[in-house]
Amino acid sequence: MPRMDVTQMPFAKLYPLLVNKAGKKGRTREEVDQVVTWLTGYSASEIARLEQSDICYGAFFQEAPAMNPNRVLITGTVCGVRVEEVEDPLMREIRYLDKLVDELARGKPMEQILRK
C-alpha cells in the first residue's frame, strides 16, 4: 500500500491524534487549541467546525486566517528533521505544529511554547 501524503489526509483524522498525544501527557484539548490558534489564527470554534468538515490537512494550513509571523522562531527537530530546514513551505508549517504539540506534550510552559 503506497504511503499517503499527509497534506491530503483529512484534518478530522489528524487533529484528534494531536489532541491525544498531548492528552497522554496530561495536557488538554484547550491547550492544543490554544497552540493551533496561536500558529494559524483559527479560533477554537473554527477548529471544532473544521474537525467536522472534509478539509484536508494541507488546506487547513493553506487557508489559515493568519499564520503567526513568530512561527519562524520555532526551531528543533521533529522525527529527526530540523523544522527550520524543511524546504517545502507547507510541510514546514505542518512541522511547526508538530513541534509545538511535542513541546506541549513534554510539559513545556505555554509562555515558552508561544514564541513572542
Side-chain angles (χ1 to χ4, degrees):
M1 185 170 151
R3 202 168 170 186
M4 187 171 192
D5 178 359
V6 70
T7 64
Q8 298 303 311
M9 294 178 79
F11 175 75
K13 182 176 183 175
L14 295 175
Y15 197 70
L17 298 176
L18 296 175
V19 172
N20 189 42
K21 179 179 187 173
K24 286 181 180 179
K25 300 293 184 166
R27 302 308 282 256
T28 66
R29 179 192 172 99
E30 289 73 24
E31 289 173 307
V32 175
D33 287 351
Q34 185 178 356
V35 166
V36 174
T37 296
W38 177 87
L39 179 64
T40 64
Y42 287 113
S43 68
S45 62
E46 289 170 319
I47 295 166
R49 179 182 54 78
L50 290 169
E51 201 173 354
Q52 301 304 313
S53 75
D54 61 354
I55 192 169
C56 68
Y57 208 47
F60 172 80
F61 286 95
Q62 291 168 329
E63 297 172 14
M67 293 300 290
N68 192 308
N70 286 343
R71 71 191 183 281
V72 297
L73 300 175
I74 302 168
T75 59
T77 59
V78 174
C79 299
V81 176
R82 295 205 63 80
V83 295
E84 63 271 24
E85 295 174 1
V86 174
E87 290 188 26
D88 179 271
L90 179 56
M91 278 307 300
R92 190 177 322 113
E93 305 296 359
I94 290 169
R95 290 300 186 186
Y96 283 151
L97 180 55
D98 290 342
K99 181 65 178 169
L100 294 175
V101 172
D102 282 354
E103 291 176 355
L104 188 64
R106 283 197 323 263
K108 196 170 187 181
M110 193 63 76
E111 305 79 46
Q112 291 178 7
I113 295 171
L114 307 181
R115 279 94 171 151
K116 304 238 182 224

